[in-house]
Amino acid sequence: MDGKTTVGYLQKYIASKDYHPELKETYFLKLSEEVGELAQAMRKDRLRRPGDGIKGTIDEELWDIMYYLVALANCYGIDLEEAIRDKEAINNVKYNTGKVFEENR
């Protein structure tokens, strides 16, 4: 990867291969299941090391969580890039971080 993958691209990519709004409850259950698998991988400190495969690692479970989160956003027609921008504006005021969320980065 080139380090330039956007949330918008992920939404389009996942929608192109897995867009089934009628399965939003199933996507949510899968998301919940993946959170449990992440907890197990973390408890066992299964971080991917150079040369290792991804199966059963924290890395794998984080991607699985992201996948189902994006699939759910797609089911509801939510533009995650817009949601991120708007929510960060609220968070930055609420938590007085002094940080500005820069778009197109």
Side-chain angles (χ1 to χ4, degrees):
M1 293 180 79
D2 62 6
K4 298 178 184 177
T5 303
T6 66
V7 173
Y9 171 77
L10 285 176
Q11 283 197 258
K12 289 175 190 162
Y13 170 73
I14 291 170
S16 75
K17 65 181 200 160
D18 190 4
Y19 179 71
H20 302 283
E22 71 279 7
L23 298 178
K24 61 185 164 234
E25 290 85 5
T26 301
Y27 289 141
F28 178 75
L29 291 173
K30 284 296 294 176
L31 174 63
S32 299
E33 180 181 324
E34 297 300 342
V35 169
E37 290 177 9
L38 172 62
Q40 183 178 34
M42 289 175 62
R43 187 173 46 82
K44 295 180 179 181
D45 197 30
R46 290 188 174 158
L47 189 61
R48 186 177 184 184
R49 311 273 190 259
D52 288 351
I54 196 168
K55 194 71 180 152
T57 64
I58 294 168
D59 311 49
E60 177 188 28
E61 303 312 335
L62 286 170
W63 166 244
D64 289 345
I65 289 166
M66 186 179 291
Y67 181 96
Y68 287 109
L69 179 137
V70 170
L72 273 171
N74 288 344
C75 287
Y76 286 98
I78 294 169
D79 177 336
L80 282 172
E81 288 185 343
E82 182 180 319
I84 290 166
R85 183 194 64 232
D86 293 350
K87 182 60 175 150
E88 275 304 292
I90 292 167
N91 288 348
N92 288 339
V93 170
K94 182 177 180 178
Y95 299 108
N96 194 25
T97 65
K99 300 286 183 183
V100 175
F101 184 77
E102 297 179 42
E103 292 188 61
N104 301 315
R105 311 276 273 139

